Coordinates of all heavy atoms in Angstrom, one line a residue:
D1 N 5.9 -8.4 5.3 CA 6.8 -9.2 6.4 C 6.2 -9.0 7.7 O 5.6 -8.1 8.2 CB 8.2 -8.6 6.1 CG 9.2 -9.4 7.2 OD1 9.0 -10.7 7.2 OD2 10.0 -8.8 7.6
V2 N 6.2 -10.0 8.5 CA 5.9 -10.0 10.0 C 7.2 -10.6 10.7 O 7.7 -11.5 10.4 CB 4.7 -11.1 10.1 CG1 4.5 -11.1 11.7 CG2 3.5 -10.7 9.3
D3 N 7.4 -9.6 11.6 CA 8.7 -9.9 12.5 C 8.0 -10.1 14.0 O 7.9 -9.1 14.7 CB 9.7 -8.8 12.5 CG 10.9 -9.1 13.3 OD1 11.0 -10.1 14.3 OD2 12.0 -8.5 13.0
T4 N 7.8 -11.4 14.4 CA 7.2 -11.6 15.6 C 8.1 -11.3 16.7 O 7.6 -10.9 17.9 CB 6.7 -13.2 15.7 OG1 7.9 -14.0 15.4 CG2 5.5 -13.3 14.7
R5 N 9.4 -11.4 16.6 CA 10.3 -11.1 17.7 C 10.3 -9.7 18.1 O 10.4 -9.2 19.1 CB 11.7 -11.5 17.4 CG 11.9 -13.1 17.4 CD 13.3 -13.5 17.3 NE 13.8 -13.0 15.8 CZ 14.9 -13.4 15.5 NH1 15.7 -14.0 15.8 NH2 15.3 -12.9 14.1
R6 N 10.1 -8.8 17.1 CA 10.1 -7.4 17.3 C 8.7 -6.9 17.4 O 8.5 -5.6 17.8 CB 10.9 -6.6 16.3 CG 12.4 -6.7 16.4 CD 13.1 -5.7 15.6 NE 13.6 -6.4 14.3 CZ 14.1 -5.7 13.3 NH1 14.1 -4.3 13.3 NH2 14.6 -6.2 12.2
G7 N 7.8 -7.8 17.1 CA 6.4 -7.2 17.1 C 6.1 -6.2 16.0 O 5.3 -5.4 16.1
Q8 N 6.7 -6.5 14.8 CA 6.5 -5.5 13.7 C 5.9 -6.2 12.6 O 6.1 -7.3 12.2 CB 7.8 -4.9 13.2 CG 8.4 -3.9 14.3 CD 9.9 -3.4 13.9 OE1 10.4 -3.9 13.0 NE2 10.2 -2.3 14.5
V9 N 5.1 -5.4 11.8 CA 4.3 -5.8 10.6 C 4.7 -4.8 9.5 O 4.5 -3.6 9.8 CB 3.0 -6.0 10.7 CG1 2.3 -6.5 9.4 CG2 2.5 -7.1 11.7
Q10 N 5.3 -5.1 8.3 CA 5.5 -4.3 7.2 C 4.3 -4.4 6.2 O 4.0 -5.5 5.9 CB 7.0 -4.6 6.5 CG 8.2 -4.3 7.2 CD 9.2 -4.7 6.5 OE1 9.4 -5.6 5.8 NE2 10.4 -3.8 6.6
L11 N 3.8 -3.2 5.8 CA 2.8 -3.2 5.0 C 3.2 -2.5 3.7 O 4.0 -1.6 3.8 CB 1.6 -2.4 5.6 CG 0.9 -2.9 6.9 CD1 0.0 -2.1 7.3 CD2 0.2 -4.4 6.5
S12 N 2.5 -2.8 2.5 CA 2.7 -2.0 1.2 C 1.4 -1.6 0.8 O 0.6 -2.3 0.6 CB 3.5 -2.8 0.4 OG 3.5 -2.3 -0.9
L13 N 1.3 -0.2 0.5 CA 0.1 0.3 -0.2 C 0.4 0.2 -1.7 O -0.6 0.0 -2.5 CB 0.0 1.7 0.2 CG -0.5 2.0 1.7 CD1 -0.5 3.5 1.9 CD2 -1.7 1.3 2.0
K14 N 1.6 0.3 -2.1 CA 1.9 0.3 -3.6 C 1.7 -1.1 -4.1 O 1.0 -1.1 -5.2 CB 3.5 0.5 -3.8 CG 3.8 0.6 -5.3 CD 5.2 1.0 -5.4 CE 5.5 1.2 -7.1 NZ 6.8 1.6 -7.3
A15 N 1.7 -2.1 -3.3 CA 1.3 -3.6 -3.9 C -0.1 -3.6 -4.2 O -0.5 -4.4 -4.9 CB 1.8 -4.6 -2.9
L16 N -1.0 -2.8 -3.5 CA -2.4 -2.8 -3.9 C -2.8 -2.1 -5.2 O -3.9 -2.2 -5.6 CB -3.2 -2.3 -2.7 CG -3.1 -3.1 -1.4 CD1 -3.8 -2.5 -0.3 CD2 -3.5 -4.5 -1.6
Q17 N -1.9 -1.2 -5.6 CA -2.1 -0.5 -6.9 C -2.0 -1.2 -8.0 O -1.2 -2.1 -8.1 CB -1.3 0.8 -6.9 CG -1.5 1.7 -5.9 CD -0.5 2.7 -5.8 OE1 0.3 2.9 -6.5 NE2 -0.6 3.8 -5.0
E18 N -2.8 -1.1 -9.1 CA -2.8 -1.9 -10.4 C -1.5 -1.4 -11.1 O -1.2 -0.2 -11.1 CB -4.0 -1.7 -11.1 CG -4.0 -2.6 -12.4 CD -5.2 -2.5 -13.2 OE1 -6.3 -2.3 -12.5 OE2 -5.2 -2.5 -14.4
D19 N -0.7 -2.3 -11.7 CA 0.4 -1.9 -12.4 C 0.0 -1.3 -13.6 O -0.9 -2.1 -14.5 CB 1.2 -3.3 -12.7 CG 2.4 -3.2 -13.5 OD1 2.8 -1.9 -13.9 OD2 3.2 -4.1 -13.6
P20 N 0.4 -0.1 -13.9 CA -0.1 0.6 -15.1 C 0.3 -0.1 -16.5 O -0.3 0.1 -17.5 CB 0.7 2.0 -15.1 CG 1.6 1.9 -13.9 CD 1.3 0.8 -13.1
L21 N 1.5 -0.9 -16.4 CA 1.9 -1.7 -17.6 C 1.0 -2.7 -18.1 O 0.9 -3.1 -19.2 CB 3.2 -2.3 -17.3 CG 4.2 -2.6 -18.5 CD1 4.3 -1.6 -19.6 CD2 5.5 -3.1 -18.0
L22 N 0.1 -3.2 -17.1 CA -0.8 -4.3 -17.4 C -1.9 -3.9 -18.5 O -2.2 -4.6 -19.3 CB -1.6 -4.7 -16.1 CG -0.7 -5.5 -15.1 CD1 -1.7 -5.8 -13.9 CD2 -0.3 -6.9 -15.7
S23 N -2.2 -2.5 -18.5 CA -3.2 -2.1 -19.4 C -2.5 -2.1 -20.9 O -3.3 -1.9 -21.8 CB -3.6 -0.6 -19.0 OG -2.7 0.3 -19.1
F24 N -1.2 -2.2 -21.0 CA -0.6 -2.3 -22.3 C -0.2 -3.7 -22.7 O 0.4 -3.9 -23.8 CB 0.6 -1.4 -22.3 CG 0.2 0.1 -22.2 CD1 0.1 0.8 -21.1 CD2 0.1 0.9 -23.4 CE1 -0.3 2.1 -21.0 CE2 -0.4 2.2 -23.5 CZ -0.5 2.8 -22.2
A25 N -0.5 -4.7 -21.8 CA -0.1 -6.1 -22.1 C -0.5 -6.5 -23.5 O 0.3 -7.3 -24.1 CB -0.6 -7.1 -20.9
D26 N -1.6 -6.3 -23.9 CA -2.1 -6.8 -25.2 C -2.0 -5.7 -26.2 O -2.8 -5.8 -27.4 CB -3.5 -7.3 -25.1 CG -4.5 -6.3 -24.7 OD1 -4.1 -5.1 -24.3 OD2 -5.7 -6.5 -24.9
Q27 N -1.2 -4.7 -26.2 CA -1.1 -3.6 -27.1 C -0.1 -3.6 -28.2 O 0.1 -2.6 -29.0 CB -1.1 -2.2 -26.4 CG -2.1 -2.0 -25.5 CD -3.5 -1.7 -26.1 OE1 -3.4 -1.0 -27.0 NE2 -4.6 -2.4 -25.7
A28 N 0.7 -4.9 -28.3 CA 1.8 -4.8 -29.3 C 1.1 -4.6 -30.6 O 0.0 -5.2 -31.0 CB 2.3 -6.2 -29.3
G29 N 1.8 -3.9 -31.5 CA 1.3 -3.4 -32.7 C 0.5 -2.0 -32.8 O 0.3 -1.4 -33.9
R30 N 0.0 -1.5 -31.6 CA -0.7 -0.4 -31.6 C 0.3 0.9 -31.9 O 1.5 0.8 -31.3 CB -1.2 -0.2 -30.2 CG -1.9 1.1 -29.9 CD -2.6 1.3 -28.6 NE -2.8 2.6 -28.3 CZ -2.7 3.1 -27.1 NH1 -2.4 2.4 -26.0 NH2 -3.0 4.4 -26.7
V31 N -0.2 1.8 -32.7 CA 0.6 3.0 -33.0 C -0.1 4.1 -32.0 O -1.3 4.3 -32.0 CB 0.4 3.4 -34.4 CG1 1.2 4.8 -34.7 CG2 1.0 2.3 -35.1
T32 N 0.9 4.9 -31.4 CA 0.5 6.0 -30.6 C 1.6 7.0 -30.7 O 2.5 6.9 -31.4 CB 0.3 5.6 -29.1 OG1 -0.2 6.5 -28.4 CG2 1.7 5.0 -28.5
T33 N 1.3 8.3 -29.9 CA 2.2 9.1 -29.9 C 2.8 9.4 -28.4 O 2.1 8.9 -27.4 CB 1.8 10.5 -30.2 OG1 0.7 10.9 -29.4 CG2 1.3 10.6 -31.7
G34 N 4.1 9.9 -28.4 CA 4.5 9.9 -27.0 C 5.7 11.0 -27.1 O 6.2 11.5 -28.1
R35 N 6.2 11.4 -25.9 CA 7.2 12.4 -25.7 C 8.5 11.8 -25.4 O 8.7 10.9 -24.5 CB 6.7 13.5 -24.7 CG 7.6 14.7 -24.6 CD 7.0 15.9 -23.9 NE 5.6 16.2 -24.4 CZ 5.2 16.9 -25.5 NH1 6.3 17.4 -26.3 NH2 4.0 17.2 -25.8
V36 N 9.5 12.2 -26.1 CA 10.9 11.8 -25.8 C 11.3 12.5 -24.4 O 11.3 13.6 -24.2 CB 11.9 12.3 -26.8 CG1 13.3 11.9 -26.5 CG2 11.5 11.8 -28.3
T37 N 11.7 11.5 -23.5 CA 12.0 11.9 -22.2 C 13.6 11.8 -21.8 O 14.0 12.7 -21.0 CB 11.3 11.1 -21.0 OG1 11.8 9.8 -21.2 CG2 9.9 11.2 -21.2
K38 N 14.2 11.1 -22.7 CA 15.6 10.9 -22.2 C 16.2 10.3 -23.5 O 15.8 9.3 -24.1 CB 15.8 10.0 -21.1 CG 17.2 9.9 -20.5 CD 17.5 9.1 -19.3 CE 18.8 9.0 -18.9 NZ 19.0 8.2 -17.6
L39 N 17.6 10.9 -23.8 CA 18.2 10.3 -24.9 C 19.5 9.6 -24.2 O 20.0 10.0 -23.3 CB 18.9 11.3 -25.8 CG 17.9 12.2 -26.6 CD1 18.6 13.3 -27.4 CD2 17.0 11.4 -27.5
I40 N 19.8 8.3 -24.6 CA 21.0 7.6 -24.3 C 21.6 7.2 -25.5 O 21.1 7.2 -26.6 CB 20.5 6.4 -23.4 CG1 19.4 5.5 -24.1 CG2 19.9 6.9 -22.0 CD1 19.0 4.2 -23.5

């Protein structure tokens, strides 16, 4: 965001990081192991 009235610019470093979920986008059907983190 750029606020010209206040002279401020908002930056995001997180937006530049690759989304970790993207590496799983084509993984449907893959079998793996994982740790149970929460029961609902």
Side-chain angles (χ1 to χ4, degrees):
D1 185 37
V2 177
D3 186 341
T4 55
R5 285 187 296 190
R6 289 196 252 169
Q8 294 179 342
V9 176
Q10 287 182 321
L11 300 175
S12 170
L13 295 176
K14 187 174 184 179
L16 296 177
Q17 297 173 352
E18 185 174 327
D19 182 352
L21 196 55
L22 286 175
S23 62
F24 288 87
D26 62 348
Q27 298 293 313
R30 177 178 162 212
V31 174
T32 187
T33 58
R35 189 159 311 279
V36 176
T37 59
K38 183 177 183 180
L39 298 177
I40 54 177

